[in-house]
Short mmCIF file of all heavy atoms in Angstrom, two decimals:
data_model
loop_
_atom_site.label_atom_id
_atom_site.label_comp_id
_atom_site.label_asym_id
_atom_site.label_seq_id
_atom_site.Cartn_x
_atom_site.Cartn_y
_atom_site.Cartn_z
N MET A 10 -74.55 26.95 -254.26
CA MET A 10 -75.89 27.09 -253.76
C MET A 10 -75.88 26.76 -252.27
O MET A 10 -75.26 25.85 -251.79
CB MET A 10 -76.88 26.12 -254.51
CG MET A 10 -78.34 26.32 -254.16
SD MET A 10 -79.39 25.19 -255.03
CE MET A 10 -79.24 25.79 -256.70
N GLY A 11 -76.67 27.52 -251.47
CA GLY A 11 -76.70 27.35 -250.02
C GLY A 11 -77.44 26.08 -249.64
O GLY A 11 -78.28 25.57 -250.39
N GLN A 12 -77.10 25.58 -248.44
CA GLN A 12 -77.82 24.40 -247.95
C GLN A 12 -79.12 24.82 -247.24
O GLN A 12 -79.18 25.84 -246.63
CB GLN A 12 -76.89 23.69 -246.95
CG GLN A 12 -75.88 22.81 -247.60
CD GLN A 12 -75.23 21.92 -246.52
OE1 GLN A 12 -75.11 22.33 -245.37
NE2 GLN A 12 -74.83 20.74 -246.91
N PHE A 13 -80.10 23.98 -247.41
CA PHE A 13 -81.39 24.21 -246.74
C PHE A 13 -81.22 23.78 -245.26
O PHE A 13 -80.77 22.69 -244.95
CB PHE A 13 -82.51 23.36 -247.42
CG PHE A 13 -83.79 23.37 -246.66
CD1 PHE A 13 -84.59 24.46 -246.65
CD2 PHE A 13 -84.15 22.28 -245.88
CE1 PHE A 13 -85.77 24.49 -245.98
CE2 PHE A 13 -85.33 22.30 -245.20
CZ PHE A 13 -86.18 23.40 -245.24
N LYS A 14 -81.69 24.61 -244.36
CA LYS A 14 -81.67 24.35 -242.92
C LYS A 14 -83.12 24.42 -242.44
O LYS A 14 -83.77 25.47 -242.54
CB LYS A 14 -80.84 25.34 -242.16
CG LYS A 14 -79.38 25.24 -242.47
CD LYS A 14 -78.53 26.16 -241.61
CE LYS A 14 -77.11 26.07 -241.97
NZ LYS A 14 -76.28 27.00 -241.17
N PRO A 15 -83.65 23.30 -241.94
CA PRO A 15 -85.02 23.33 -241.51
C PRO A 15 -85.20 24.30 -240.29
O PRO A 15 -84.26 24.55 -239.50
CB PRO A 15 -85.34 21.89 -241.07
CG PRO A 15 -83.96 21.30 -240.87
CD PRO A 15 -83.00 22.06 -241.70
N LEU A 16 -86.47 24.85 -240.20
CA LEU A 16 -86.76 25.70 -239.05
C LEU A 16 -86.79 24.88 -237.76
O LEU A 16 -87.19 23.70 -237.78
CB LEU A 16 -88.12 26.38 -239.22
CG LEU A 16 -88.24 27.35 -240.33
CD1 LEU A 16 -89.76 27.84 -240.43
CD2 LEU A 16 -87.36 28.58 -240.16
N GLN A 17 -86.26 25.50 -236.75
CA GLN A 17 -86.27 24.83 -235.42
C GLN A 17 -87.40 25.40 -234.59
O GLN A 17 -87.67 26.58 -234.66
CB GLN A 17 -84.91 25.09 -234.75
CG GLN A 17 -83.75 24.52 -235.52
CD GLN A 17 -82.43 25.00 -234.92
OE1 GLN A 17 -82.40 25.73 -233.97
NE2 GLN A 17 -81.34 24.48 -235.47
N PRO A 18 -88.07 24.56 -233.78
CA PRO A 18 -89.15 25.11 -232.93
C PRO A 18 -88.61 26.00 -231.93
O PRO A 18 -87.47 25.82 -231.42
CB PRO A 18 -89.71 23.81 -232.29
CG PRO A 18 -88.66 22.77 -232.41
CD PRO A 18 -87.84 23.13 -233.61
N LEU A 19 -89.34 27.04 -231.52
CA LEU A 19 -88.97 27.97 -230.52
C LEU A 19 -89.11 27.32 -229.16
O LEU A 19 -90.04 26.54 -228.89
CB LEU A 19 -89.86 29.23 -230.52
CG LEU A 19 -89.71 30.05 -231.80
CD1 LEU A 19 -90.67 31.21 -231.80
CD2 LEU A 19 -88.28 30.62 -231.96
N THR A 20 -88.21 27.61 -228.23
CA THR A 20 -88.32 27.13 -226.83
C THR A 20 -89.13 28.15 -226.04
O THR A 20 -89.47 29.22 -226.51
CB THR A 20 -86.94 26.98 -226.28
OG1 THR A 20 -86.35 28.33 -226.09
CG2 THR A 20 -86.05 26.11 -227.04
N GLY A 21 -89.43 27.79 -224.83
CA GLY A 21 -90.21 28.67 -223.93
C GLY A 21 -89.50 29.94 -223.62
O GLY A 21 -90.11 30.96 -223.27
N GLU A 22 -88.19 29.98 -223.74
CA GLU A 22 -87.41 31.19 -223.47
C GLU A 22 -87.12 31.99 -224.65
O GLU A 22 -86.53 33.06 -224.56
CB GLU A 22 -86.06 30.75 -222.80
CG GLU A 22 -86.23 30.07 -221.47
CD GLU A 22 -84.93 29.63 -220.86
OE1 GLU A 22 -83.89 30.02 -221.33
OE2 GLU A 22 -84.99 28.87 -219.89
N SER A 23 -87.57 31.59 -225.84
CA SER A 23 -87.35 32.34 -227.10
C SER A 23 -88.43 33.32 -227.31
O SER A 23 -89.57 33.17 -226.85
CB SER A 23 -87.35 31.35 -228.29
OG SER A 23 -86.30 30.45 -228.18
N HIS A 24 -88.08 34.41 -228.00
CA HIS A 24 -89.05 35.46 -228.31
C HIS A 24 -88.95 35.79 -229.74
O HIS A 24 -87.86 35.85 -230.34
CB HIS A 24 -88.75 36.71 -227.47
CG HIS A 24 -88.79 36.51 -226.00
ND1 HIS A 24 -89.96 36.44 -225.31
CD2 HIS A 24 -87.82 36.27 -225.10
CE1 HIS A 24 -89.71 36.20 -224.03
NE2 HIS A 24 -88.37 36.06 -223.90
N LEU A 25 -90.08 36.08 -230.41
CA LEU A 25 -90.06 36.55 -231.77
C LEU A 25 -89.92 38.04 -231.84
O LEU A 25 -90.58 38.79 -231.09
CB LEU A 25 -91.37 36.15 -232.47
CG LEU A 25 -91.53 34.68 -232.78
CD1 LEU A 25 -92.91 34.39 -233.31
CD2 LEU A 25 -90.50 34.20 -233.76
N PHE A 26 -89.05 38.47 -232.78
CA PHE A 26 -88.82 39.91 -232.98
C PHE A 26 -89.24 40.34 -234.38
O PHE A 26 -88.96 39.65 -235.35
CB PHE A 26 -87.36 40.28 -232.78
CG PHE A 26 -87.01 40.52 -231.35
CD1 PHE A 26 -86.77 39.43 -230.54
CD2 PHE A 26 -86.83 41.81 -230.88
CE1 PHE A 26 -86.42 39.65 -229.21
CE2 PHE A 26 -86.49 42.00 -229.56
CZ PHE A 26 -86.28 40.90 -228.71
N LEU A 27 -89.90 41.49 -234.52
CA LEU A 27 -90.22 42.07 -235.72
C LEU A 27 -89.16 43.18 -236.01
O LEU A 27 -88.92 44.01 -235.17
CB LEU A 27 -91.63 42.71 -235.70
CG LEU A 27 -92.17 43.33 -236.96
CD1 LEU A 27 -92.33 42.26 -238.03
CD2 LEU A 27 -93.46 43.99 -236.69
N VAL A 28 -88.54 43.14 -237.20
CA VAL A 28 -87.57 44.12 -237.54
C VAL A 28 -88.05 44.83 -238.86
O VAL A 28 -88.46 44.22 -239.81
CB VAL A 28 -86.21 43.44 -237.85
CG1 VAL A 28 -85.20 44.41 -238.36
CG2 VAL A 28 -85.67 42.77 -236.55
N GLY A 29 -87.98 46.18 -238.78
CA GLY A 29 -88.39 46.95 -239.94
C GLY A 29 -87.89 48.39 -239.77
O GLY A 29 -87.45 48.79 -238.73
N GLN A 30 -88.01 49.06 -240.92
CA GLN A 30 -87.46 50.47 -240.99
C GLN A 30 -88.64 51.46 -240.63
O GLN A 30 -89.75 51.31 -241.11
CB GLN A 30 -86.88 50.78 -242.30
CG GLN A 30 -86.07 52.01 -242.36
CD GLN A 30 -85.26 52.15 -243.62
OE1 GLN A 30 -85.65 51.57 -244.63
NE2 GLN A 30 -84.18 52.88 -243.55
N SER A 31 -88.31 52.41 -239.75
CA SER A 31 -89.30 53.45 -239.35
C SER A 31 -89.38 54.51 -240.44
O SER A 31 -88.54 54.59 -241.37
CB SER A 31 -88.86 54.05 -238.03
OG SER A 31 -87.79 54.97 -238.21
N SER A 32 -90.35 55.33 -240.29
CA SER A 32 -90.61 56.45 -241.21
C SER A 32 -89.49 57.47 -241.20
O SER A 32 -89.34 58.27 -242.13
CB SER A 32 -91.93 57.15 -240.97
OG SER A 32 -91.97 57.67 -239.68
N HIS A 33 -88.72 57.44 -240.11
CA HIS A 33 -87.51 58.37 -240.00
C HIS A 33 -86.22 57.72 -240.43
O HIS A 33 -85.16 58.38 -240.28
CB HIS A 33 -87.40 58.83 -238.53
CG HIS A 33 -88.57 59.65 -238.08
ND1 HIS A 33 -88.78 60.97 -238.52
CD2 HIS A 33 -89.60 59.36 -237.27
CE1 HIS A 33 -89.89 61.44 -238.00
NE2 HIS A 33 -90.40 60.47 -237.23
N GLY A 34 -86.29 56.52 -240.96
CA GLY A 34 -85.09 55.85 -241.54
C GLY A 34 -84.30 54.94 -240.58
O GLY A 34 -83.34 54.40 -240.98
N PHE A 35 -84.75 54.94 -239.31
CA PHE A 35 -84.04 54.06 -238.39
C PHE A 35 -84.63 52.69 -238.46
O PHE A 35 -85.73 52.52 -238.95
CB PHE A 35 -84.20 54.56 -236.90
CG PHE A 35 -83.54 55.90 -236.70
CD1 PHE A 35 -84.19 57.05 -236.62
CD2 PHE A 35 -82.19 55.93 -236.56
CE1 PHE A 35 -83.54 58.30 -236.40
CE2 PHE A 35 -81.45 57.11 -236.32
CZ PHE A 35 -82.21 58.30 -236.26
N TRP A 36 -83.88 51.68 -237.98
CA TRP A 36 -84.37 50.30 -237.93
C TRP A 36 -84.79 49.98 -236.53
O TRP A 36 -84.14 50.27 -235.54
CB TRP A 36 -83.23 49.37 -238.39
CG TRP A 36 -83.10 49.44 -239.89
CD1 TRP A 36 -82.34 50.32 -240.58
CD2 TRP A 36 -83.75 48.67 -240.87
NE1 TRP A 36 -82.47 50.13 -241.95
CE2 TRP A 36 -83.35 49.11 -242.16
CE3 TRP A 36 -84.66 47.58 -240.79
CZ2 TRP A 36 -83.79 48.55 -243.33
CZ3 TRP A 36 -85.13 47.02 -241.96
CH2 TRP A 36 -84.72 47.48 -243.19
N VAL A 37 -85.92 49.34 -236.43
CA VAL A 37 -86.51 48.98 -235.17
C VAL A 37 -86.62 47.46 -235.07
O VAL A 37 -87.02 46.78 -236.00
CB VAL A 37 -87.99 49.58 -235.08
CG1 VAL A 37 -88.64 49.20 -233.75
CG2 VAL A 37 -87.95 51.10 -235.14
N ALA A 38 -86.23 46.95 -233.87
CA ALA A 38 -86.40 45.53 -233.59
C ALA A 38 -87.27 45.44 -232.30
O ALA A 38 -86.88 46.01 -231.26
CB ALA A 38 -85.01 44.88 -233.32
N ARG A 39 -88.43 44.88 -232.46
CA ARG A 39 -89.39 44.83 -231.34
C ARG A 39 -89.87 43.43 -231.09
O ARG A 39 -90.34 42.71 -231.98
CB ARG A 39 -90.60 45.68 -231.70
CG ARG A 39 -91.61 45.75 -230.57
CD ARG A 39 -92.85 46.50 -230.87
NE ARG A 39 -92.58 47.80 -231.48
CZ ARG A 39 -93.26 48.26 -232.52
NH1 ARG A 39 -94.25 47.57 -233.04
NH2 ARG A 39 -92.96 49.42 -233.03
N ASP A 40 -89.76 43.05 -229.79
CA ASP A 40 -90.27 41.75 -229.35
C ASP A 40 -91.81 41.77 -229.58
O ASP A 40 -92.46 42.71 -229.11
CB ASP A 40 -89.94 41.55 -227.86
CG ASP A 40 -90.44 40.27 -227.25
OD1 ASP A 40 -91.26 39.59 -227.84
OD2 ASP A 40 -89.98 39.99 -226.12
N LEU A 41 -92.39 40.77 -230.14
CA LEU A 41 -93.81 40.74 -230.39
C LEU A 41 -94.67 40.62 -229.15
O LEU A 41 -95.81 40.93 -229.15
CB LEU A 41 -94.19 39.58 -231.36
CG LEU A 41 -93.66 39.69 -232.76
CD1 LEU A 41 -94.08 38.48 -233.60
CD2 LEU A 41 -94.09 40.99 -233.38
N GLU A 42 -94.00 40.27 -228.04
CA GLU A 42 -94.66 40.21 -226.76
C GLU A 42 -94.56 41.56 -225.99
O GLU A 42 -95.09 41.71 -224.87
CB GLU A 42 -94.15 39.07 -225.90
CG GLU A 42 -94.45 37.71 -226.50
CD GLU A 42 -93.87 36.57 -225.68
OE1 GLU A 42 -93.41 36.81 -224.52
OE2 GLU A 42 -93.88 35.43 -226.19
N GLY A 43 -93.86 42.48 -226.55
CA GLY A 43 -93.71 43.82 -225.93
C GLY A 43 -92.71 43.87 -224.82
O GLY A 43 -92.80 44.79 -223.94
N ARG A 44 -91.80 42.94 -224.73
CA ARG A 44 -90.84 42.89 -223.61
C ARG A 44 -89.55 43.70 -223.85
O ARG A 44 -88.88 44.11 -222.95
CB ARG A 44 -90.45 41.48 -223.31
CG ARG A 44 -91.60 40.64 -222.79
CD ARG A 44 -91.15 39.24 -222.51
NE ARG A 44 -92.22 38.44 -222.07
CZ ARG A 44 -92.09 37.18 -221.68
NH1 ARG A 44 -90.90 36.63 -221.67
NH2 ARG A 44 -93.12 36.49 -221.36
N SER A 45 -89.19 43.82 -225.13
CA SER A 45 -87.92 44.39 -225.47
C SER A 45 -87.98 45.12 -226.84
O SER A 45 -88.74 44.68 -227.71
CB SER A 45 -86.84 43.32 -225.48
OG SER A 45 -85.60 43.87 -225.76
N GLU A 46 -87.21 46.19 -227.00
CA GLU A 46 -87.18 46.94 -228.25
C GLU A 46 -85.93 47.62 -228.44
O GLU A 46 -85.29 48.06 -227.40
CB GLU A 46 -88.35 47.89 -228.27
CG GLU A 46 -88.42 48.76 -229.52
CD GLU A 46 -89.59 49.72 -229.42
OE1 GLU A 46 -89.55 50.68 -228.64
OE2 GLU A 46 -90.56 49.46 -230.16
N GLY A 47 -85.44 47.81 -229.65
CA GLY A 47 -84.23 48.58 -229.87
C GLY A 47 -84.34 49.39 -231.17
O GLY A 47 -85.09 48.99 -232.09
N ILE A 48 -83.67 50.51 -231.21
CA ILE A 48 -83.71 51.37 -232.39
C ILE A 48 -82.24 51.49 -232.87
O ILE A 48 -81.35 51.79 -232.08
CB ILE A 48 -84.25 52.74 -232.06
CG1 ILE A 48 -85.68 52.62 -231.47
CG2 ILE A 48 -84.24 53.69 -233.29
CD1 ILE A 48 -86.22 53.87 -230.87
N PHE A 49 -82.03 51.23 -234.19
CA PHE A 49 -80.69 51.13 -234.71
C PHE A 49 -80.54 51.94 -236.02
O PHE A 49 -81.54 52.28 -236.66
CB PHE A 49 -80.37 49.69 -234.98
CG PHE A 49 -80.56 48.80 -233.78
CD1 PHE A 49 -81.80 48.21 -233.50
CD2 PHE A 49 -79.49 48.60 -232.90
CE1 PHE A 49 -81.96 47.50 -232.33
CE2 PHE A 49 -79.65 47.85 -231.78
CZ PHE A 49 -80.89 47.28 -231.47
N ARG A 50 -79.33 52.23 -236.38
CA ARG A 50 -78.98 52.95 -237.59
C ARG A 50 -79.06 52.13 -238.85
O ARG A 50 -79.27 52.63 -239.91
CB ARG A 50 -77.59 53.62 -237.55
CG ARG A 50 -77.51 54.66 -236.50
CD ARG A 50 -76.18 55.42 -236.62
NE ARG A 50 -76.05 56.38 -235.60
CZ ARG A 50 -76.45 57.67 -235.75
NH1 ARG A 50 -76.90 58.09 -236.86
NH2 ARG A 50 -76.24 58.54 -234.73
N ASN A 51 -78.91 50.78 -238.73
CA ASN A 51 -78.97 49.91 -239.92
C ASN A 51 -79.59 48.60 -239.57
O ASN A 51 -79.75 48.17 -238.44
CB ASN A 51 -77.56 49.73 -240.50
CG ASN A 51 -76.59 49.07 -239.54
OD1 ASN A 51 -76.79 48.04 -239.02
ND2 ASN A 51 -75.46 49.78 -239.31
N GLN A 52 -79.98 47.88 -240.60
CA GLN A 52 -80.70 46.65 -240.47
C GLN A 52 -79.80 45.56 -239.84
O GLN A 52 -80.27 44.78 -239.03
CB GLN A 52 -81.16 46.17 -241.86
CG GLN A 52 -82.01 44.88 -241.76
CD GLN A 52 -82.38 44.39 -243.15
OE1 GLN A 52 -81.78 44.70 -244.17
NE2 GLN A 52 -83.46 43.58 -243.21
N LYS A 53 -78.54 45.56 -240.20
CA LYS A 53 -77.64 44.51 -239.63
C LYS A 53 -77.60 44.57 -238.11
O LYS A 53 -77.71 43.56 -237.45
CB LYS A 53 -76.26 44.70 -240.24
CG LYS A 53 -75.27 43.74 -239.73
CD LYS A 53 -73.86 43.98 -240.33
CE LYS A 53 -72.81 43.04 -239.80
NZ LYS A 53 -71.52 43.29 -240.39
N GLU A 54 -77.48 45.73 -237.55
CA GLU A 54 -77.47 45.88 -236.07
C GLU A 54 -78.84 45.52 -235.47
O GLU A 54 -78.88 44.94 -234.35
CB GLU A 54 -77.05 47.32 -235.63
CG GLU A 54 -75.60 47.62 -236.07
CD GLU A 54 -74.62 46.70 -235.43
OE1 GLU A 54 -74.75 46.39 -234.27
OE2 GLU A 54 -73.72 46.26 -236.14
N ALA A 55 -79.93 45.85 -236.09
CA ALA A 55 -81.23 45.51 -235.56
C ALA A 55 -81.44 43.97 -235.55
O ALA A 55 -81.92 43.45 -234.55
CB ALA A 55 -82.32 46.20 -236.45
N VAL A 56 -81.01 43.34 -236.61
CA VAL A 56 -81.12 41.87 -236.68
C VAL A 56 -80.19 41.22 -235.63
O VAL A 56 -80.60 40.27 -234.99
CB VAL A 56 -80.83 41.37 -238.11
CG1 VAL A 56 -80.69 39.83 -238.14
CG2 VAL A 56 -81.90 41.85 -239.06
N ARG A 57 -79.00 41.79 -235.54
CA ARG A 57 -78.06 41.21 -234.50
C ARG A 57 -78.66 41.30 -233.10
O ARG A 57 -78.61 40.35 -232.31
CB ARG A 57 -76.76 41.97 -234.55
CG ARG A 57 -75.70 41.44 -233.54
CD ARG A 57 -74.42 42.23 -233.62
NE ARG A 57 -73.75 41.92 -234.88
CZ ARG A 57 -72.89 42.66 -235.45
NH1 ARG A 57 -72.54 43.84 -234.91
NH2 ARG A 57 -72.36 42.32 -236.62
N PHE A 58 -79.28 42.42 -232.78
CA PHE A 58 -79.94 42.61 -231.48
C PHE A 58 -81.07 41.59 -231.31
O PHE A 58 -81.20 40.95 -230.25
CB PHE A 58 -80.46 44.05 -231.34
CG PHE A 58 -81.34 44.31 -230.19
CD1 PHE A 58 -80.87 44.52 -228.93
CD2 PHE A 58 -82.78 44.29 -230.38
CE1 PHE A 58 -81.71 44.75 -227.84
CE2 PHE A 58 -83.62 44.55 -229.30
CZ PHE A 58 -83.09 44.77 -228.05
N ALA A 59 -81.90 41.47 -232.36
CA ALA A 59 -83.06 40.59 -232.24
C ALA A 59 -82.64 39.11 -232.13
O ALA A 59 -83.23 38.39 -231.32
CB ALA A 59 -83.93 40.73 -233.53
N LEU A 60 -81.58 38.73 -232.76
CA LEU A 60 -81.07 37.38 -232.61
C LEU A 60 -80.52 37.11 -231.20
O LEU A 60 -80.77 36.07 -230.62
CB LEU A 60 -80.01 37.07 -233.66
CG LEU A 60 -80.43 36.90 -235.10
CD1 LEU A 60 -79.29 36.86 -236.04
CD2 LEU A 60 -81.35 35.66 -235.23
N ALA A 61 -79.81 38.14 -230.68
CA ALA A 61 -79.26 37.98 -229.31
C ALA A 61 -80.34 37.94 -228.32
O ALA A 61 -80.35 37.15 -227.36
CB ALA A 61 -78.25 39.10 -229.07
N GLU A 62 -81.31 38.87 -228.42
CA GLU A 62 -82.40 38.92 -227.42
C GLU A 62 -83.40 37.83 -227.58
O GLU A 62 -83.99 37.40 -226.63
CB GLU A 62 -83.12 40.34 -227.59
CG GLU A 62 -82.31 41.51 -227.08
CD GLU A 62 -82.17 41.48 -225.62
OE1 GLU A 62 -83.12 41.37 -224.88
OE2 GLU A 62 -80.97 41.66 -225.12
N GLY A 63 -83.63 37.37 -228.84
CA GLY A 63 -84.60 36.40 -229.13
C GLY A 63 -84.28 35.03 -228.65
O GLY A 63 -85.11 34.13 -228.39
N GLY A 64 -82.93 34.75 -228.60
CA GLY A 64 -82.45 33.45 -228.07
C GLY A 64 -82.68 32.31 -229.00
O GLY A 64 -82.67 31.16 -228.57
N HIS A 65 -82.88 32.56 -230.31
CA HIS A 65 -83.17 31.51 -231.26
C HIS A 65 -82.85 32.03 -232.66
O HIS A 65 -83.08 33.13 -233.03
CB HIS A 65 -84.64 31.14 -231.15
CG HIS A 65 -84.95 29.82 -231.79
ND1 HIS A 65 -85.22 29.69 -233.12
CD2 HIS A 65 -85.00 28.59 -231.27
CE1 HIS A 65 -85.48 28.44 -233.41
NE2 HIS A 65 -85.36 27.75 -232.34
N PRO A 66 -82.26 31.11 -233.52
CA PRO A 66 -81.92 31.54 -234.86
C PRO A 66 -83.12 31.88 -235.73
O PRO A 66 -82.98 32.56 -236.75
CB PRO A 66 -81.15 30.37 -235.46
CG PRO A 66 -81.36 29.21 -234.55
CD PRO A 66 -81.79 29.76 -233.22
N ASN A 67 -84.33 31.41 -235.39
CA ASN A 67 -85.54 31.74 -236.14
C ASN A 67 -86.34 32.84 -235.46
O ASN A 67 -87.51 32.94 -235.65
CB ASN A 67 -86.38 30.50 -236.30
CG ASN A 67 -85.65 29.36 -237.06
OD1 ASN A 67 -84.82 29.64 -237.88
ND2 ASN A 67 -85.94 28.17 -236.66
N ALA A 68 -85.70 33.65 -234.64
CA ALA A 68 -86.46 34.64 -233.83
C ALA A 68 -86.77 35.93 -234.55
O ALA A 68 -87.42 36.75 -233.99
CB ALA A 68 -85.63 34.92 -232.56
N VAL A 69 -86.32 36.11 -235.80
CA VAL A 69 -86.45 37.39 -236.46
C VAL A 69 -87.40 37.30 -237.63
O VAL A 69 -87.30 36.47 -238.51
CB VAL A 69 -85.06 37.90 -236.94
CG1 VAL A 69 -85.20 39.25 -237.62
CG2 VAL A 69 -84.09 37.98 -235.78
N LEU A 70 -88.37 38.24 -237.68
CA LEU A 70 -89.26 38.45 -238.78
C LEU A 70 -88.99 39.79 -239.39
O LEU A 70 -89.10 40.82 -238.71
CB LEU A 70 -90.73 38.36 -238.35
CG LEU A 70 -91.21 37.09 -237.61
CD1 LEU A 70 -92.56 37.30 -236.98
CD2 LEU A 70 -91.16 35.91 -238.55
N ILE A 71 -88.57 39.85 -240.63
CA ILE A 71 -88.34 41.09 -241.34
C ILE A 71 -89.69 41.59 -241.93
O ILE A 71 -90.30 40.87 -242.72
CB ILE A 71 -87.29 41.01 -242.46
CG1 ILE A 71 -85.97 40.36 -241.92
CG2 ILE A 71 -87.07 42.32 -243.12
CD1 ILE A 71 -85.29 41.26 -240.94
N SER A 72 -90.09 42.80 -241.54
CA SER A 72 -91.38 43.36 -241.98
C SER A 72 -91.18 44.08 -243.32
O SER A 72 -90.29 44.93 -243.49
CB SER A 72 -91.87 44.38 -240.95
OG SER A 72 -93.02 44.99 -241.47
N PRO A 73 -92.10 43.77 -244.30
CA PRO A 73 -92.02 44.55 -245.56
C PRO A 73 -92.63 45.94 -245.37
O PRO A 73 -92.47 46.79 -246.25
CB PRO A 73 -92.88 43.67 -246.48
CG PRO A 73 -93.86 42.98 -245.57
CD PRO A 73 -93.08 42.75 -244.30
N ASN A 74 -93.30 46.11 -244.28
CA ASN A 74 -93.92 47.48 -243.98
C ASN A 74 -93.06 48.15 -242.92
O ASN A 74 -92.23 47.56 -242.24
CB ASN A 74 -95.32 47.25 -243.42
CG ASN A 74 -96.19 46.47 -244.39
OD1 ASN A 74 -96.19 46.76 -245.56
ND2 ASN A 74 -96.93 45.50 -243.86
N GLY A 75 -93.33 49.44 -242.70
CA GLY A 75 -92.59 50.20 -241.72
C GLY A 75 -92.95 49.71 -240.33
O GLY A 75 -94.02 49.18 -240.05
N VAL A 76 -91.95 49.85 -239.42
CA VAL A 76 -92.15 49.51 -238.01
C VAL A 76 -91.75 50.73 -237.23
O VAL A 76 -90.60 51.19 -237.28
CB VAL A 76 -91.28 48.25 -237.60
CG1 VAL A 76 -91.39 48.02 -236.12
CG2 VAL A 76 -91.66 47.06 -238.39
N GLU A 77 -92.68 51.26 -236.52
CA GLU A 77 -92.41 52.50 -235.72
C GLU A 77 -92.10 52.10 -234.32
O GLU A 77 -92.64 51.19 -233.67
CB GLU A 77 -93.63 53.46 -235.72
CG GLU A 77 -93.96 53.93 -237.12
CD GLU A 77 -92.83 54.74 -237.77
OE1 GLU A 77 -92.11 55.43 -237.09
OE2 GLU A 77 -92.73 54.58 -239.05
N PRO A 78 -91.07 52.77 -233.68
CA PRO A 78 -90.73 52.50 -232.27
C PRO A 78 -91.87 52.88 -231.31
O PRO A 78 -92.64 53.80 -231.57
CB PRO A 78 -89.50 53.36 -232.03
CG PRO A 78 -89.55 54.43 -233.06
CD PRO A 78 -90.30 53.89 -234.22
N SER A 79 -92.02 52.13 -230.28
CA SER A 79 -93.05 52.39 -229.24
C SER A 79 -92.52 53.33 -228.17
O SER A 79 -93.33 53.81 -227.34
CB SER A 79 -93.52 51.11 -228.62
OG SER A 79 -92.50 50.55 -227.80
N TYR A 80 -91.23 53.55 -228.17
CA TYR A 80 -90.54 54.43 -227.13
C TYR A 80 -90.90 53.96 -225.73
O TYR A 80 -91.18 54.75 -224.87
CB TYR A 80 -90.92 55.89 -227.39
CG TYR A 80 -90.46 56.40 -228.71
CD1 TYR A 80 -91.35 56.69 -229.69
CD2 TYR A 80 -89.10 56.60 -228.95
CE1 TYR A 80 -90.90 57.12 -230.92
CE2 TYR A 80 -88.63 56.99 -230.19
CZ TYR A 80 -89.55 57.31 -231.17
OH TYR A 80 -89.07 57.75 -232.41
N GLY A 81 -90.96 52.63 -225.55
CA GLY A 81 -91.18 52.09 -224.26
C GLY A 81 -92.60 51.99 -223.82
O GLY A 81 -92.96 51.38 -222.80
N MET A 82 -93.55 52.48 -224.66
CA MET A 82 -94.96 52.42 -224.26
C MET A 82 -95.52 50.96 -224.39
O MET A 82 -96.48 50.68 -223.66
CB MET A 82 -95.75 53.34 -225.13
CG MET A 82 -95.39 54.81 -224.85
SD MET A 82 -96.17 55.97 -225.98
CE MET A 82 -97.91 55.81 -225.60
N GLY A 83 -94.88 50.17 -225.19
CA GLY A 83 -95.31 48.77 -225.32
C GLY A 83 -94.46 47.78 -224.55
O GLY A 83 -94.68 46.61 -224.64
N ILE A 84 -93.45 48.29 -223.81
CA ILE A 84 -92.57 47.41 -223.09
C ILE A 84 -93.08 47.15 -221.72
O ILE A 84 -93.45 48.07 -221.02
CB ILE A 84 -91.17 48.06 -223.03
CG1 ILE A 84 -90.68 48.47 -224.41
CG2 ILE A 84 -90.17 47.12 -222.33
CD1 ILE A 84 -90.46 47.36 -225.41
N HIS A 85 -93.14 45.90 -221.33
CA HIS A 85 -93.63 45.51 -219.98
C HIS A 85 -92.49 45.40 -219.01
O HIS A 85 -91.47 44.93 -219.29
CB HIS A 85 -94.37 44.16 -220.06
CG HIS A 85 -95.48 44.12 -221.02
ND1 HIS A 85 -96.66 44.73 -220.78
CD2 HIS A 85 -95.59 43.57 -222.25
CE1 HIS A 85 -97.47 44.53 -221.85
NE2 HIS A 85 -96.80 43.85 -222.71
#
């Protein structure tokens, strides 16, 4: 059985990412603040990107719903 690891608070430099599959089958990782986004062939790569960009082990939220790419329209 795995060990429980408590959630760690986000720092000021951390960003939350939403990861989900688009209607076209690609995986999207999008910063909830609209600063960064990536489109990937599989969930593993999308989560890896979100963890690297988010700067925190708790930076990823997996969406049970579809996530469509913004194609840069939401990126500041």
Side-chain angles (χ1 to χ4, degrees):
M10 188 181 292
Q12 280 190 328
F13 172 75
K14 293 184 180 180
L16 292 176
Q17 299 172 356
L19 296 175
T20 66
E22 296 178 11
S23 298
H24 301 280
L25 288 174
F26 275 78
L27 183 64
V28 174
Q30 196 167 24
S31 75
S32 59
H33 295 288
F35 293 104
W36 284 86
V37 177
R39 182 184 313 138
D40 179 348
L41 293 181
E42 295 178 11
R44 295 180 184 184
S45 182
E46 178 179 72
I48 302 170
F49 305 89
R50 293 189 183 267
N51 59 56
Q52 183 182 23
K53 181 179 177 181
E54 293 301 318
V56 169
R57 181 180 291 156
F58 169 81
L60 287 171
E62 290 288 312
H65 195 275
N67 301 328
V69 180
L70 303 170
I71 304 295
S72 175
N74 304 315
V76 176
E77 298 301 323
S79 69
Y80 299 108
M82 294 174 64
I84 308 297
H85 303 286

